[in-house]
Amino acid sequence: MSNITPYQYSDHPNEEGMESQDEHDAYRMAVENTLYDDNRTAIGQVKSVRRVPVSRSTGQASKLTEMYDIEFLRQEINIEDHKIPLHDLFNRLLTDPNTGLAEQQVRAIEQRDGANIISSPMEAPTWVRFCKNIFGGFSFLLWLGALLCFAHYSIESGIHREVPSDNLVLGFALIVVVLITGTFSFVQENKETEMKAAFDRMLPEKATVIRDGVECEVDAKNLVLGDIVIINAGDQIAADIRIFDTKNFKVDNSTLNGESEPQWRSAEYTHENAL
């Protein structure tokens, strides 16, 4: 007599496996101390603008990078922190207008978002940028033309006793033109780099905030999302902020848009686009 293993038939063969997986996930969430941060609030709004570095070594990583880039652009477009009610904004940022953030919150947010500094792409060394201006783009064709002129002059010198120096002069002329235009382009590019560096140096180094109910001065790079910032007359603004309490407040935007006169600012938003 053969042994027959009894089993229960089900229309959903993976139902038992799904239930065990759900139980495993529930147990894991109950015992783990850390939770995955998807950069969104409980209602699905983006908490902060940030990028997640992803390796581009594989095709799958490239797709993930593209997805993160699209998400980054959406975060820049879908900004509504400037127009939602203040109590909703405070609840979203988990802060209080009177006491500000707690030190534990500040450390957690700083670990999540990083320092409040302008991220700039890695710049190539000076000699690399100079070589790109001398040998890159259309300059390469001029170098090739000069080389052909010298080659033609050398071939004619080997065949004929007397050779006109037209090709030799043309080759040196092309080299001189390449050196002059490449040097001019490099100087212009260098000036633009210095202007960007000078603009970065205009950013303030300190900011006045309220944390744990105490007004204190911190480094501007240590500002985090949700800080209550106090702006006094003559202060430079160290981050993107929303105004919720002000008296006779004017800002100087001459370095941004060239406006010569200070502009009034209030707690009411004037445009749908925050930018």
Side-chain angles (χ1 to χ4, degrees):
M1 182 176 180
S2 60
N3 295 329
I4 301 177
T5 303
Y7 69 95
Q8 181 178 2
Y9 175 78
S10 175
D11 293 335
H12 303 284
N14 296 328
E15 183 177 355
E16 182 178 355
M18 292 173 62
E19 291 179 357
S20 61
Q21 181 66 28
D22 293 340
E23 293 177 358
H24 175 72
D25 292 340
Y27 174 77
R28 176 178 57 80
M29 295 181 64
V31 299
E32 282 188 356
N33 294 326
T34 58
L35 294 176
Y36 173 72
D37 181 18
D38 61 352
N39 198 36
R40 292 185 178 275
T41 62
I43 60 176
Q45 300 293 335
V46 177
K47 293 185 290 186
S48 62
V49 177
R50 61 180 180 176
R51 299 190 71 174
V52 181
V54 181
S55 174
R56 295 179 180 268
S57 57
T58 60
Q60 183 179 4
S62 299
K63 293 181 180 179
L64 289 175
T65 305
E66 184 178 356
M67 293 173 59
Y68 280 121
D69 290 340
I70 296 174
E71 180 66 20
F72 179 74
L73 293 175
R74 288 177 178 174
Q75 290 175 7
E76 286 188 332
I77 297 173
N78 299 328
I79 298 176
E80 60 177 6
D81 293 342
H82 65 293
K83 59 183 180 180
I84 63 175
L86 287 174
H87 63 275
D88 292 340
L89 180 63
F90 294 142
N91 292 333
R92 175 182 299 182
L93 301 179
L94 301 178
T95 187
D96 185 88
N98 298 317
T99 60
L101 295 172
E103 287 297 330
Q104 293 181 350
Q105 290 178 285
V106 172
R107 289 194 295 268
I109 297 173
E110 191 172 11
Q111 184 178 5
R112 183 194 67 191
D113 298 335
N116 178 41
I117 56 177
I118 299 177
S119 59
S120 57
M122 296 181 61
E123 295 185 357
T126 304
W127 67 271
V128 174
R129 292 189 287 113
F130 180 76
C131 290
K132 284 184 177 180
N133 285 280
I134 295 296
F135 300 103
F138 184 71
S139 298
F140 176 77
L141 298 178
L142 296 179
W143 282 106
L144 183 60
L147 180 62
L148 293 177
C149 290
F150 292 144
H152 190 266
Y153 178 80
S154 300
I155 293 173
E156 285 188 340
S157 299
I159 297 176
H160 306 286
R161 180 175 297 179
E162 295 183 0
V163 179
S165 59
D166 296 343
N167 290 322
L168 190 62
V169 173
L170 180 59
F172 281 112
L174 291 175
I175 292 177
V176 171
V177 170
V178 171
L179 293 177
I180 293 176
T181 55
T183 303
F184 181 77
S185 299
F186 172 74
V187 171
Q188 292 296 112
E189 182 180 333
N190 214 30
K191 287 182 179 180
E192 293 178 1
T193 304
E194 292 177 356
M195 289 178 60
K196 292 179 181 178
F199 185 78
D200 292 341
R201 288 193 296 268
M202 294 176 59
L203 297 177
E205 297 181 356
K206 298 289 184 178
T208 304
V209 299
I210 298 178
R211 290 178 179 176
D212 286 326
V214 179
E215 182 178 331
C216 57
E217 191 176 66
V218 299
D219 293 336
K221 65 179 181 180
N222 293 331
L223 286 177
V224 298
L225 194 66
D227 263 330
I228 305 300
V229 184
I230 299 177
I231 304 296
N232 298 313
D235 288 349
Q236 291 179 317
I237 301 176
D240 294 333
I241 62 174
R242 174 172 174 179
I243 305 168
F244 65 88
D245 187 14
T246 178
K247 293 180 180 178
N248 298 327
F249 186 46
K250 287 185 177 182
V251 294
D252 182 9
N253 292 333
S254 59
T255 57
L256 297 177
N257 51 24
E259 293 177 343
S260 58
E261 295 293 333
Q263 303 297 313
W264 287 100
R265 292 293 182 265
S266 63
E268 291 78 18
Y269 78 96
T270 58
H271 201 279
E272 290 291 333
N273 189 355
L275 302 179

